[in-house]
């Protein structure tokens, strides 16, 4: 075991502060990674503030971060896929049981024994729970380490490990969207990635937003058209014309308004998670044989596919790079949606601590 510099929160109301955390020594299947950048996900904020206590109570001290990009510094004797110096990424999971049907199907995110990157039981016993990427280094089973294309901007790659795969997976799974009409509800950290992926797959991309001020940015990101969802006339003009809609909104909203936008056999997939149950009109689904579904990140193979796709199409997240010392300010800004479109922490700033 060795000690690594990190930033942690001591309680749900405590600010982040410099800390040192234990990391296990590299076992035979492990890869040790020097963390270069770590994205800030809204899940980090929910976890740190124990806002999901009824489902996933937080153990403190908490070191979040599951959008990790770094450089391999050491590999175990049986780890053959990586070598020191490789650019790699780590997402929301660092291990699973490797044996259940979900793992065999490449859907490790649904494994009942998955080990998440932070605030998950640490089966190695190094600490009470796993610690995430707000740290100078991490040790991960090589099966959960991903190759990062060398041509991409590394700070912008970090959010791909969560926001990227969260939006890529349902878009990819829905089938050939070339020439199809695809809607993206919301233009935030998830929504802006949904726009980029849908455009890269050749879809006719339309952004739904409540903010007319976001029109210009949506078009810059790749949307062909923008609908202000509070404008009844704009909504009526497009009713029944969409093949697929990606709903990224995590706040309470009227899902039926978007179901009405779908054409026959259209689907709306939720990747946002509102706190309260959504009111759903059965008739909105019945007339048109429409469907509603949900999607949770992606398996390791699909996440690697996503990164390779990003390398081929030069896709990264739009980020604001910050030093770790500004993490508390960044969280306050995140609550206000005051970022375009993700924060990415330059972890070299931790060296000064």
């Amino acid at each position: 075991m060795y000690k690594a510099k990190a930033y942690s929160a001591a309680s749900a109301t405590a600010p982040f502060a410099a800390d040192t955390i234990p990391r296990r020594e590299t076992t035979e299947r492990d890869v040790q990674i020097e963390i270069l950048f770590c994205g800030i996900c809204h899940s980090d904020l929910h976890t740190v503030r124990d806002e999901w206590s009824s489902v996933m109570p937080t153990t403190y001290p908490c070191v979040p971060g599951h959008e990790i990009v770094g450089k391999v510094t050491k590999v175990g004797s049986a780890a053959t896929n990586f070598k020191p110096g490789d650019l790699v990424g780590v997402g929301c999971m660092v291990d699973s049981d490797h044996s259940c049907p979900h793992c065999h199907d490449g859907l490790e995110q649904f494994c009942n024994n998955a080990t998440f990157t932070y605030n998950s039981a640490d089966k190695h016993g190094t600490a009470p729970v796993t610690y995430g990427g707000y740290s100078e280094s991490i040790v991960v089973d090589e099966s959960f380490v991903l190759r990062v294309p060398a041509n991409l901007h590394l700070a912008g790659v970090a959010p791909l490990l969560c926001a990227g795969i969260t939006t890529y997976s349902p878009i990819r799974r829905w089938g050939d969207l070339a020439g199809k009409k695809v809607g993206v509800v919301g233009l935030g950290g998830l929504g802006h990635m949904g726009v980029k992926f849908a455009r890269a797959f050749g879809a006719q991309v339309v952004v739904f937003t409540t903010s007319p001020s976001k029109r210009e940015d949506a078009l810059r990101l790749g949307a062909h058209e923008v609908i202000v969802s509070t404008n009844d006339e704009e909504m009526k003009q497009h009713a029944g014309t969409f093949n697929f809609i990606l709903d990224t909104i995590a706040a309470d909203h009227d899902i039926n308004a978007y179901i009405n936008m779908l054409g026959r056999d259209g689907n709306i997939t939720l990747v946002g998670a509102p706190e309260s149950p959504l009111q759903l009109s059965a008739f909105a689904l019945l007339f048109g044989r429409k469907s509603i579904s949900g999607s949770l990140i992606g398996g390791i193979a699909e996440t690697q596919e996503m990164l390779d796709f990003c390398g081929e199409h030069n896709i990264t997240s739009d980020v604001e790079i910050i030093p770790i010392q500004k993490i508390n300010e960044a969280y306050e800004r995140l609550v206000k949606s005051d970022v375009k479109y993700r924060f990415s922490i330059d972890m070299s700033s931790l060296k000064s601590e």
Side-chain angles (χ1 to χ4, degrees):
M1 187 168 66
Y2 69 96
K3 295 287 187 179
K5 290 182 179 179
Y7 259 55
S8 70
S11 73
T13 56
F16 279 99
D19 198 358
T20 57
I21 57 172
R23 294 291 195 192
R24 70 177 184 272
E25 293 296 337
T26 308
T27 67
E28 61 177 14
R29 288 177 47 83
D30 283 337
V31 174
Q32 183 175 307
I33 301 163
E34 175 192 357
I35 300 174
L36 303 176
F37 293 94
C38 185
I40 299 177
C41 177
H42 222 108
S43 299
D44 298 350
L45 187 151
H46 289 308
T47 303
V48 166
R49 297 184 175 180
D50 205 19
E51 293 173 352
W52 289 340
S53 58
S54 62
V55 180
M56 295 179 288
T58 303
T59 298
Y60 297 96
C62 178
V63 179
H66 57 205
E67 299 178 337
I68 298 167
V69 171
K71 181 172 62 177
V72 175
T73 54
K74 187 186 296 186
V75 296
S77 59
T80 59
N81 294 328
F82 301 95
K83 65 182 185 303
D86 286 348
L87 289 174
V88 295
V90 177
C92 300
M93 302 171 287
V94 291
D95 210 345
S96 69
D97 62 24
H98 302 268
S99 60
C100 71
H102 300 305
C103 290
H104 286 160
D105 289 340
L107 298 170
E108 297 90 349
Q109 72 270 34
F110 301 121
C111 173
N112 291 329
N113 298 304
T115 302
F116 294 103
T117 308
Y118 63 86
N119 198 48
S120 192
D122 184 356
K123 70 180 187 181
H124 295 273
T126 311
V129 291
T130 52
Y131 296 133
Y134 297 9
S135 172
E136 63 184 339
S137 69
I138 193 169
V139 179
V140 182
D141 182 290
E142 73 162 347
S143 300
F144 287 80
V145 179
L146 300 141
R147 294 190 177 278
V148 170
N151 62 303
L152 296 179
H153 179 230
L154 294 185
V157 169
L160 297 180
L161 279 306
C162 180
I165 186 58
T166 294
T167 50
Y168 176 92
S169 181
I171 291 172
R172 180 76 174 87
R173 190 168 61 252
W174 191 244
D176 183 8
L177 290 176
K180 302 288 180 63
K181 192 170 180 180
V182 171
V184 177
V185 184
L187 193 67
L190 292 176
H192 94 288
M193 290 307 311
V195 171
K196 291 186 179 189
F197 285 132
R199 180 64 183 254
F201 279 116
Q204 178 190 351
V205 185
V206 180
V207 167
F208 293 93
T209 178
T210 58
S211 304
S213 61
K214 290 189 176 182
R215 187 183 301 273
E216 183 178 342
D217 222 26
L219 297 174
R220 175 187 66 81
L221 291 163
H224 295 89
E225 196 168 350
V226 178
I227 298 173
V228 177
S229 57
T230 53
N231 186 314
D232 292 339
E233 285 304 313
E234 288 188 28
M235 294 289 278
K236 286 178 183 177
Q237 289 173 17
H238 291 267
T241 64
F242 285 83
N243 301 101
F244 176 78
I245 295 176
L246 184 72
D247 186 343
T248 72
I249 302 299
D252 291 341
H253 61 290
D254 181 12
I255 189 71
N256 300 299
Y258 300 105
I259 293 174
N260 288 334
M261 295 294 104
L262 294 172
R264 192 196 68 208
D265 293 322
N267 169 267
I268 183 167
T269 295
L270 306 182
V271 291
E275 283 188 41
S276 302
L278 297 174
Q279 295 292 322
L280 182 66
S281 168
F283 284 103
L285 295 175
L286 295 174
F287 285 90
R289 202 165 55 187
K290 304 165 188 177
S291 62
I292 183 169
S293 57
S295 187
L296 177 72
I297 55 173
I300 295 302
E302 188 177 43
T303 305
Q304 186 63 65
E305 176 190 301
M306 179 270 304
L307 286 171
D308 295 340
F309 182 87
C310 289
E312 293 168 10
H313 295 269
N314 198 31
I315 294 173
T316 55
S317 179
D318 284 26
V319 296
E320 179 180 334
I321 302 171
I322 63 166
I324 190 67
Q325 291 80 8
K326 289 192 175 181
I327 187 67
N328 291 305
E329 176 187 331
Y331 268 48
E332 293 308 312
R333 289 179 55 195
L334 187 61
V335 171
K336 301 173 185 175
S337 299
D338 179 25
V339 58
K340 288 187 175 180
Y341 280 91
R342 303 285 282 205
F343 286 113
S344 187
I345 308 169
D346 181 351
M347 298 309 301
S348 67
S349 59
L350 193 56
K351 294 177 181 177
S352 64
E353 292 291 342

